[in-house]
mmCIF file of all heavy atoms in Angstrom:
data_model
loop_
_atom_site.group_PDB
_atom_site.id
_atom_site.type_symbol
_atom_site.label_atom_id
_atom_site.label_comp_id
_atom_site.label_asym_id
_atom_site.label_seq_id
_atom_site.Cartn_x
_atom_site.Cartn_y
_atom_site.Cartn_z
ATOM 1 N N LEU Y 1 -93.376 -141.156 -93.938
ATOM 2 C CA LEU Y 1 -93.819 -141.742 -95.222
ATOM 3 C C LEU Y 1 -95.332 -141.908 -95.230
ATOM 4 O O LEU Y 1 -96.013 -141.536 -96.156
ATOM 5 C CB LEU Y 1 -93.118 -143.091 -95.401
ATOM 6 C CG LEU Y 1 -93.374 -143.890 -96.646
ATOM 7 C CD1 LEU Y 1 -92.616 -143.314 -97.837
ATOM 8 C CD2 LEU Y 1 -92.905 -145.348 -96.462
ATOM 9 N N LEU Y 2 -95.878 -142.452 -94.149
ATOM 10 C CA LEU Y 2 -97.335 -142.689 -94.051
ATOM 11 C C LEU Y 2 -98.105 -141.391 -93.850
ATOM 12 O O LEU Y 2 -99.166 -141.232 -94.454
ATOM 13 C CB LEU Y 2 -97.591 -143.697 -92.922
ATOM 14 C CG LEU Y 2 -97.072 -145.099 -93.140
ATOM 15 C CD1 LEU Y 2 -97.068 -145.907 -91.869
ATOM 16 C CD2 LEU Y 2 -97.930 -145.855 -94.191
ATOM 17 N N CYS Y 3 -97.541 -140.506 -93.066
ATOM 18 C CA CYS Y 3 -98.240 -139.262 -92.758
ATOM 19 C C CYS Y 3 -98.402 -138.384 -93.987
ATOM 20 O O CYS Y 3 -99.440 -137.782 -94.213
ATOM 21 C CB CYS Y 3 -97.520 -138.484 -91.634
ATOM 22 S SG CYS Y 3 -97.716 -139.174 -90.012
ATOM 23 N N ARG Y 4 -97.351 -138.270 -94.794
ATOM 24 C CA ARG Y 4 -97.443 -137.459 -95.994
ATOM 25 C C ARG Y 4 -98.530 -137.979 -96.932
ATOM 26 O O ARG Y 4 -99.151 -137.183 -97.639
ATOM 27 C CB ARG Y 4 -96.097 -137.482 -96.715
ATOM 28 C CG ARG Y 4 -95.013 -136.669 -96.070
ATOM 29 C CD ARG Y 4 -93.706 -136.799 -96.841
ATOM 30 N NE ARG Y 4 -92.595 -136.192 -96.149
ATOM 31 C CZ ARG Y 4 -92.183 -134.921 -96.303
ATOM 32 N NH1 ARG Y 4 -92.843 -134.135 -97.095
ATOM 33 N NH2 ARG Y 4 -91.159 -134.475 -95.630
ATOM 34 N N ALA Y 5 -98.717 -139.311 -96.961
ATOM 35 C CA ALA Y 5 -99.720 -139.899 -97.823
ATOM 36 C C ALA Y 5 -101.104 -139.882 -97.196
ATOM 37 O O ALA Y 5 -102.065 -140.384 -97.808
ATOM 38 C CB ALA Y 5 -99.300 -141.317 -98.163
ATOM 39 N N GLY Y 6 -101.240 -139.349 -95.991
ATOM 40 C CA GLY Y 6 -102.536 -139.267 -95.328
ATOM 41 C C GLY Y 6 -102.927 -140.539 -94.646
ATOM 42 O O GLY Y 6 -104.063 -140.659 -94.136
ATOM 43 N N ARG Y 7 -102.064 -141.517 -94.512
ATOM 44 C CA ARG Y 7 -102.363 -142.770 -93.861
ATOM 45 C C ARG Y 7 -102.004 -142.657 -92.366
ATOM 46 O O ARG Y 7 -101.094 -143.280 -91.850
ATOM 47 C CB ARG Y 7 -101.619 -143.919 -94.570
ATOM 48 C CG ARG Y 7 -102.135 -144.129 -95.965
ATOM 49 C CD ARG Y 7 -101.227 -144.940 -96.885
ATOM 50 N NE ARG Y 7 -100.971 -146.297 -96.476
ATOM 51 C CZ ARG Y 7 -100.367 -147.221 -97.262
ATOM 52 N NH1 ARG Y 7 -100.007 -146.878 -98.478
ATOM 53 N NH2 ARG Y 7 -100.213 -148.447 -96.812
ATOM 54 N N LEU Y 8 -102.768 -141.813 -91.694
ATOM 55 C CA LEU Y 8 -102.418 -141.406 -90.360
ATOM 56 C C LEU Y 8 -102.614 -142.475 -89.319
ATOM 57 O O LEU Y 8 -101.843 -142.599 -88.364
ATOM 58 C CB LEU Y 8 -103.254 -140.145 -89.993
ATOM 59 C CG LEU Y 8 -103.099 -138.914 -90.911
ATOM 60 C CD1 LEU Y 8 -104.015 -137.792 -90.498
ATOM 61 C CD2 LEU Y 8 -101.636 -138.459 -90.943
ATOM 62 N N GLU Y 9 -103.664 -143.246 -89.437
ATOM 63 C CA GLU Y 9 -103.945 -144.333 -88.486
ATOM 64 C C GLU Y 9 -102.790 -145.411 -88.560
ATOM 65 O O GLU Y 9 -102.384 -145.928 -87.560
ATOM 66 C CB GLU Y 9 -105.263 -144.978 -88.712
ATOM 67 C CG GLU Y 9 -106.481 -144.073 -88.288
ATOM 68 C CD GLU Y 9 -106.491 -143.771 -86.782
ATOM 69 O OE1 GLU Y 9 -105.923 -144.555 -86.051
ATOM 70 O OE2 GLU Y 9 -107.080 -142.748 -86.421
ATOM 71 N N GLU Y 10 -102.377 -145.664 -89.789
ATOM 72 C CA GLU Y 10 -101.268 -146.639 -89.965
ATOM 73 C C GLU Y 10 -100.009 -146.075 -89.310
ATOM 74 O O GLU Y 10 -99.221 -146.834 -88.722
ATOM 75 C CB GLU Y 10 -101.014 -146.896 -91.455
ATOM 76 C CG GLU Y 10 -102.092 -147.710 -92.143
ATOM 77 C CD GLU Y 10 -101.806 -147.899 -93.598
ATOM 78 O OE1 GLU Y 10 -100.806 -148.582 -93.935
ATOM 79 O OE2 GLU Y 10 -102.529 -147.340 -94.452
ATOM 80 N N ALA Y 11 -99.780 -144.759 -89.474
ATOM 81 C CA ALA Y 11 -98.607 -144.126 -88.861
ATOM 82 C C ALA Y 11 -98.679 -144.278 -87.336
ATOM 83 O O ALA Y 11 -97.665 -144.599 -86.687
ATOM 84 C CB ALA Y 11 -98.538 -142.638 -89.246
ATOM 85 N N LYS Y 12 -99.846 -144.051 -86.815
ATOM 86 C CA LYS Y 12 -99.997 -144.215 -85.311
ATOM 87 C C LYS Y 12 -99.751 -145.646 -84.902
ATOM 88 O O LYS Y 12 -99.160 -145.898 -83.834
ATOM 89 C CB LYS Y 12 -101.412 -143.760 -84.877
ATOM 90 C CG LYS Y 12 -101.598 -143.864 -83.389
ATOM 91 C CD LYS Y 12 -102.980 -143.405 -82.978
ATOM 92 C CE LYS Y 12 -103.184 -143.568 -81.475
ATOM 93 N NZ LYS Y 12 -103.096 -144.962 -81.020
ATOM 94 N N ASN Y 13 -100.194 -146.628 -85.688
ATOM 95 C CA ASN Y 13 -99.947 -148.025 -85.362
ATOM 96 C C ASN Y 13 -98.418 -148.338 -85.349
ATOM 97 O O ASN Y 13 -97.963 -149.114 -84.498
ATOM 98 C CB ASN Y 13 -100.641 -148.934 -86.376
ATOM 99 C CG ASN Y 13 -102.144 -148.937 -86.205
ATOM 100 O OD1 ASN Y 13 -102.658 -148.620 -85.108
ATOM 101 N ND2 ASN Y 13 -102.904 -149.268 -87.265
ATOM 102 N N VAL Y 14 -97.733 -147.758 -86.305
ATOM 103 C CA VAL Y 14 -96.241 -147.923 -86.316
ATOM 104 C C VAL Y 14 -95.664 -147.373 -85.033
ATOM 105 O O VAL Y 14 -94.799 -148.021 -84.402
ATOM 106 C CB VAL Y 14 -95.636 -147.202 -87.562
ATOM 107 C CG1 VAL Y 14 -94.108 -147.206 -87.425
ATOM 108 C CG2 VAL Y 14 -96.046 -147.929 -88.853
ATOM 109 N N ILE Y 15 -96.106 -146.208 -84.626
ATOM 110 C CA ILE Y 15 -95.596 -145.581 -83.368
ATOM 111 C C ILE Y 15 -95.926 -146.479 -82.162
ATOM 112 O O ILE Y 15 -95.030 -146.679 -81.301
ATOM 113 C CB ILE Y 15 -96.198 -144.180 -83.184
ATOM 114 C CG1 ILE Y 15 -95.818 -143.251 -84.332
ATOM 115 C CG2 ILE Y 15 -95.800 -143.591 -81.845
ATOM 116 C CD1 ILE Y 15 -96.472 -141.902 -84.349
ATOM 117 N N ASP Y 16 -97.136 -147.005 -82.126
ATOM 118 C CA ASP Y 16 -97.551 -147.802 -80.985
ATOM 119 C C ASP Y 16 -96.734 -149.108 -80.878
ATOM 120 O O ASP Y 16 -96.549 -149.657 -79.783
ATOM 121 C CB ASP Y 16 -99.040 -148.157 -81.111
ATOM 122 C CG ASP Y 16 -99.939 -146.950 -80.875
ATOM 123 O OD1 ASP Y 16 -99.417 -145.960 -80.280
ATOM 124 O OD2 ASP Y 16 -101.108 -146.954 -81.319
ATOM 125 N N LYS Y 17 -96.222 -149.620 -82.013
ATOM 126 C CA LYS Y 17 -95.514 -150.874 -82.018
ATOM 127 C C LYS Y 17 -93.982 -150.708 -81.997
ATOM 128 O O LYS Y 17 -93.270 -151.725 -82.037
ATOM 129 C CB LYS Y 17 -95.930 -151.667 -83.281
ATOM 130 C CG LYS Y 17 -97.365 -152.125 -83.230
ATOM 131 C CD LYS Y 17 -97.760 -152.868 -84.525
ATOM 132 C CE LYS Y 17 -99.241 -153.258 -84.476
ATOM 133 N NZ LYS Y 17 -99.636 -153.927 -85.752
ATOM 134 N N MET Y 18 -93.520 -149.459 -81.957
ATOM 135 C CA MET Y 18 -92.044 -149.272 -81.873
ATOM 136 C C MET Y 18 -91.481 -149.885 -80.636
ATOM 137 O O MET Y 18 -92.089 -149.815 -79.540
ATOM 138 C CB MET Y 18 -91.766 -147.756 -81.887
ATOM 139 C CG MET Y 18 -91.904 -147.105 -83.214
ATOM 140 S SD MET Y 18 -91.836 -145.274 -83.095
ATOM 141 C CE MET Y 18 -90.280 -145.031 -82.201
ATOM 142 N N PRO Y 19 -90.312 -150.506 -80.757
ATOM 143 C CA PRO Y 19 -89.667 -151.164 -79.557
ATOM 144 C C PRO Y 19 -89.094 -150.143 -78.598
ATOM 145 O O PRO Y 19 -88.684 -150.510 -77.510
ATOM 146 C CB PRO Y 19 -88.616 -152.033 -80.189
ATOM 147 C CG PRO Y 19 -88.258 -151.405 -81.477
ATOM 148 C CD PRO Y 19 -89.527 -150.786 -81.966
ATOM 149 N N MET Y 20 -88.961 -148.902 -79.028
ATOM 150 C CA MET Y 20 -88.423 -147.854 -78.138
ATOM 151 C C MET Y 20 -89.485 -146.789 -77.933
ATOM 152 O O MET Y 20 -90.462 -146.685 -78.689
ATOM 153 C CB MET Y 20 -87.109 -147.278 -78.677
ATOM 154 C CG MET Y 20 -87.254 -146.402 -79.916
ATOM 155 S SD MET Y 20 -87.518 -147.301 -81.464
ATOM 156 C CE MET Y 20 -85.903 -148.053 -81.695
ATOM 157 N N LYS Y 21 -89.276 -145.920 -76.928
ATOM 158 C CA LYS Y 21 -90.229 -144.834 -76.654
ATOM 159 C C LYS Y 21 -90.159 -143.797 -77.744
ATOM 160 O O LYS Y 21 -89.070 -143.312 -78.055
ATOM 161 C CB LYS Y 21 -89.912 -144.235 -75.283
ATOM 162 C CG LYS Y 21 -90.903 -143.171 -74.865
ATOM 163 C CD LYS Y 21 -90.582 -142.634 -73.491
ATOM 164 C CE LYS Y 21 -91.603 -141.540 -73.067
ATOM 165 N NZ LYS Y 21 -91.231 -140.983 -71.740
ATOM 166 N N PRO Y 22 -91.272 -143.416 -78.351
ATOM 167 C CA PRO Y 22 -91.257 -142.384 -79.394
ATOM 168 C C PRO Y 22 -90.767 -141.043 -78.838
ATOM 169 O O PRO Y 22 -91.073 -140.683 -77.684
ATOM 170 C CB PRO Y 22 -92.713 -142.258 -79.842
ATOM 171 C CG PRO Y 22 -93.417 -143.421 -79.268
ATOM 172 C CD PRO Y 22 -92.617 -143.900 -78.076
ATOM 173 N N ASN Y 23 -89.946 -140.352 -79.625
ATOM 174 C CA ASN Y 23 -89.483 -139.055 -79.163
ATOM 175 C C ASN Y 23 -90.347 -137.935 -79.721
ATOM 176 O O ASN Y 23 -91.330 -138.184 -80.446
ATOM 177 C CB ASN Y 23 -88.008 -138.845 -79.614
ATOM 178 C CG ASN Y 23 -87.809 -138.922 -81.111
ATOM 179 O OD1 ASN Y 23 -88.755 -138.849 -81.868
ATOM 180 N ND2 ASN Y 23 -86.557 -139.055 -81.492
ATOM 181 N N GLU Y 24 -89.991 -136.738 -79.449
ATOM 182 C CA GLU Y 24 -90.771 -135.563 -79.852
ATOM 183 C C GLU Y 24 -90.861 -135.459 -81.390
ATOM 184 O O GLU Y 24 -91.931 -135.086 -81.911
ATOM 185 C CB GLU Y 24 -90.108 -134.289 -79.328
ATOM 186 C CG GLU Y 24 -90.781 -132.983 -79.650
ATOM 187 C CD GLU Y 24 -89.931 -131.808 -79.230
ATOM 188 O OE1 GLU Y 24 -89.075 -131.918 -78.380
ATOM 189 O OE2 GLU Y 24 -90.187 -130.716 -79.828
ATOM 190 N N ILE Y 25 -89.820 -135.803 -82.088
ATOM 191 C CA ILE Y 25 -89.785 -135.700 -83.535
ATOM 192 C C ILE Y 25 -90.827 -136.633 -84.168
ATOM 193 O O ILE Y 25 -91.501 -136.263 -85.097
ATOM 194 C CB ILE Y 25 -88.370 -136.025 -84.098
ATOM 195 C CG1 ILE Y 25 -87.383 -134.965 -83.583
ATOM 196 C CG2 ILE Y 25 -88.392 -136.056 -85.615
ATOM 197 C CD1 ILE Y 25 -85.934 -135.293 -83.880
ATOM 198 N N ILE Y 26 -90.963 -137.835 -83.638
ATOM 199 C CA ILE Y 26 -91.914 -138.820 -84.143
ATOM 200 C C ILE Y 26 -93.343 -138.251 -84.012
ATOM 201 O O ILE Y 26 -94.128 -138.274 -84.932
ATOM 202 C CB ILE Y 26 -91.828 -140.133 -83.379
ATOM 203 C CG1 ILE Y 26 -90.446 -140.791 -83.561
ATOM 204 C CG2 ILE Y 26 -92.957 -141.093 -83.728
ATOM 205 C CD1 ILE Y 26 -90.282 -141.537 -84.843
ATOM 206 N N TRP Y 27 -93.651 -137.786 -82.774
ATOM 207 C CA TRP Y 27 -94.994 -137.232 -82.581
ATOM 208 C C TRP Y 27 -95.272 -135.959 -83.383
ATOM 209 O O TRP Y 27 -96.370 -135.735 -83.855
ATOM 210 C CB TRP Y 27 -95.245 -136.958 -81.099
ATOM 211 C CG TRP Y 27 -95.332 -138.193 -80.247
ATOM 212 C CD1 TRP Y 27 -94.498 -138.594 -79.255
ATOM 213 C CD2 TRP Y 27 -96.347 -139.208 -80.323
ATOM 214 N NE1 TRP Y 27 -94.938 -139.807 -78.727
ATOM 215 C CE2 TRP Y 27 -96.079 -140.193 -79.355
ATOM 216 C CE3 TRP Y 27 -97.491 -139.363 -81.147
ATOM 217 C CZ2 TRP Y 27 -96.851 -141.311 -79.178
ATOM 218 C CZ3 TRP Y 27 -98.299 -140.503 -80.974
ATOM 219 C CH2 TRP Y 27 -97.962 -141.431 -80.018
ATOM 220 N N MET Y 28 -94.230 -135.164 -83.572
ATOM 221 C CA MET Y 28 -94.357 -133.949 -84.405
ATOM 222 C C MET Y 28 -94.640 -134.309 -85.862
ATOM 223 O O MET Y 28 -95.371 -133.611 -86.554
ATOM 224 C CB MET Y 28 -93.120 -133.071 -84.303
ATOM 225 C CG MET Y 28 -93.013 -132.277 -83.028
ATOM 226 S SD MET Y 28 -94.258 -130.968 -82.864
ATOM 227 C CE MET Y 28 -93.645 -129.762 -83.999
ATOM 228 N N SER Y 29 -94.084 -135.400 -86.354
ATOM 229 C CA SER Y 29 -94.360 -135.862 -87.711
ATOM 230 C C SER Y 29 -95.829 -136.232 -87.825
ATOM 231 O O SER Y 29 -96.487 -135.884 -88.841
ATOM 232 C CB SER Y 29 -93.519 -137.111 -88.046
ATOM 233 O OG SER Y 29 -92.166 -136.754 -88.186
ATOM 234 N N LEU Y 30 -96.354 -136.932 -86.836
ATOM 235 C CA LEU Y 30 -97.755 -137.285 -86.862
ATOM 236 C C LEU Y 30 -98.616 -136.033 -86.776
ATOM 237 O O LEU Y 30 -99.620 -135.888 -87.510
ATOM 238 C CB LEU Y 30 -98.092 -138.250 -85.715
ATOM 239 C CG LEU Y 30 -99.562 -138.694 -85.618
ATOM 240 C CD1 LEU Y 30 -100.004 -139.449 -86.908
ATOM 241 C CD2 LEU Y 30 -99.746 -139.618 -84.417
ATOM 242 N N LEU Y 31 -98.246 -135.115 -85.920
ATOM 243 C CA LEU Y 31 -98.992 -133.872 -85.794
ATOM 244 C C LEU Y 31 -99.002 -133.044 -87.098
ATOM 245 O O LEU Y 31 -100.007 -132.507 -87.515
ATOM 246 C CB LEU Y 31 -98.409 -133.022 -84.647
ATOM 247 C CG LEU Y 31 -99.055 -131.658 -84.341
ATOM 248 C CD1 LEU Y 31 -100.542 -131.839 -84.024
ATOM 249 C CD2 LEU Y 31 -98.341 -130.987 -83.190
ATOM 250 N N SER Y 32 -97.867 -133.017 -87.747
ATOM 251 C CA SER Y 32 -97.713 -132.317 -89.026
ATOM 252 C C SER Y 32 -98.616 -132.971 -90.106
ATOM 253 O O SER Y 32 -99.262 -132.287 -90.854
ATOM 254 C CB SER Y 32 -96.276 -132.312 -89.507
ATOM 255 O OG SER Y 32 -96.139 -131.644 -90.717
ATOM 256 N N GLY Y 33 -98.648 -134.302 -90.082
ATOM 257 C CA GLY Y 33 -99.528 -135.012 -91.023
ATOM 258 C C GLY Y 33 -100.994 -134.668 -90.737
ATOM 259 O O GLY Y 33 -101.804 -134.514 -91.669
ATOM 260 N N CYS Y 34 -101.348 -134.576 -89.446
ATOM 261 C CA CYS Y 34 -102.731 -134.198 -89.111
ATOM 262 C C CYS Y 34 -103.045 -132.796 -89.563
ATOM 263 O O CYS Y 34 -104.184 -132.519 -89.943
ATOM 264 C CB CYS Y 34 -102.905 -134.345 -87.580
ATOM 265 S SG CYS Y 34 -102.823 -136.032 -86.975
ATOM 266 N N ARG Y 35 -102.073 -131.896 -89.452
ATOM 267 C CA ARG Y 35 -102.270 -130.551 -89.947
ATOM 268 C C ARG Y 35 -102.555 -130.529 -91.483
ATOM 269 O O ARG Y 35 -103.462 -129.884 -91.950
ATOM 270 C CB ARG Y 35 -101.064 -129.667 -89.599
ATOM 271 C CG ARG Y 35 -101.298 -128.208 -89.828
ATOM 272 C CD ARG Y 35 -100.519 -127.479 -90.874
ATOM 273 N NE ARG Y 35 -99.371 -128.158 -91.479
ATOM 274 C CZ ARG Y 35 -98.198 -127.589 -91.563
ATOM 275 N NH1 ARG Y 35 -97.964 -126.460 -91.006
ATOM 276 N NH2 ARG Y 35 -97.231 -128.215 -92.216
ATOM 277 N N ASN Y 36 -101.738 -131.273 -92.186
ATOM 278 C CA ASN Y 36 -101.831 -131.290 -93.634
ATOM 279 C C ASN Y 36 -103.105 -131.971 -94.156
ATOM 280 O O ASN Y 36 -103.669 -131.613 -95.173
ATOM 281 C CB ASN Y 36 -100.622 -132.010 -94.291
ATOM 282 C CG ASN Y 36 -99.328 -131.259 -94.052
ATOM 283 O OD1 ASN Y 36 -99.353 -130.075 -93.790
ATOM 284 N ND2 ASN Y 36 -98.233 -131.998 -94.095
ATOM 285 N N HIS Y 37 -103.641 -132.915 -93.308
ATOM 286 C CA HIS Y 37 -104.829 -133.672 -93.741
ATOM 287 C C HIS Y 37 -106.063 -133.400 -92.890
ATOM 288 O O HIS Y 37 -107.066 -134.086 -93.007
ATOM 289 C CB HIS Y 37 -104.508 -135.158 -93.781
ATOM 290 C CG HIS Y 37 -103.437 -135.524 -94.790
ATOM 291 N ND1 HIS Y 37 -103.664 -135.663 -96.130
ATOM 292 C CD2 HIS Y 37 -102.067 -135.742 -94.592
ATOM 293 C CE1 HIS Y 37 -102.544 -135.959 -96.742
ATOM 294 N NE2 HIS Y 37 -101.560 -136.020 -95.861
ATOM 295 N N GLY Y 38 -105.938 -132.428 -92.009
ATOM 296 C CA GLY Y 38 -107.139 -131.923 -91.254
ATOM 297 C C GLY Y 38 -107.748 -132.892 -90.267
ATOM 298 O O GLY Y 38 -108.961 -132.921 -90.058
ATOM 299 N N ASN Y 39 -106.917 -133.672 -89.619
ATOM 300 C CA ASN Y 39 -107.424 -134.635 -88.667
ATOM 301 C C ASN Y 39 -107.264 -134.038 -87.257
ATOM 302 O O ASN Y 39 -106.198 -134.049 -86.641
ATOM 303 C CB ASN Y 39 -106.646 -135.958 -88.744
ATOM 304 C CG ASN Y 39 -107.308 -137.079 -87.911
ATOM 305 O OD1 ASN Y 39 -107.703 -136.856 -86.789
ATOM 306 N ND2 ASN Y 39 -107.328 -138.287 -88.477
ATOM 307 N N ILE Y 40 -108.381 -133.515 -86.700
ATOM 308 C CA ILE Y 40 -108.320 -132.788 -85.442
ATOM 309 C C ILE Y 40 -108.110 -133.739 -84.261
ATOM 310 O O ILE Y 40 -107.226 -133.465 -83.402
ATOM 311 C CB ILE Y 40 -109.637 -132.012 -85.220
ATOM 312 C CG1 ILE Y 40 -109.807 -130.953 -86.337
ATOM 313 C CG2 ILE Y 40 -109.616 -131.306 -83.873
ATOM 314 C CD1 ILE Y 40 -111.129 -130.246 -86.299
ATOM 315 N N ASP Y 41 -108.823 -134.836 -84.175
ATOM 316 C CA ASP Y 41 -108.754 -135.720 -83.007
ATOM 317 C C ASP Y 41 -107.341 -136.302 -82.863
ATOM 318 O O ASP Y 41 -106.750 -136.283 -81.774
ATOM 319 C CB ASP Y 41 -109.768 -136.841 -83.133
ATOM 320 C CG ASP Y 41 -111.207 -136.321 -83.010
ATOM 321 O OD1 ASP Y 41 -111.368 -135.201 -82.436
ATOM 322 O OD2 ASP Y 41 -112.136 -137.016 -83.473
#
């Protein structure tokens, strides 16, 4: 939800605060958002 809207840092904060270990799909969502919004770092 946050990645599609370009709110990538908020998305990363959600991941960092998850009570369980993020899986590959979670990180791929963030990576896809970075691709769509051009965030290299």
Side-chain angles (χ1 to χ4, degrees):
L1 181 75
L2 292 164
C3 286
R4 287 177 188 269
R7 293 162 64 168
L8 302 176
E9 289 296 337
E10 289 179 67
K12 182 180 178 296
N13 288 338
V14 169
I15 297 172
D16 290 341
K17 293 177 182 178
M18 284 169 53
M20 70 283 290
K21 184 178 180 181
N23 60 14
E24 180 188 340
I25 296 171
I26 297 280
W27 289 116
M28 283 292 285
S29 290
L30 181 59
L31 180 57
S32 181
C34 292
R35 191 245 348 233
N36 294 337
H37 296 281
N39 190 318
I40 297 173
D41 292 339

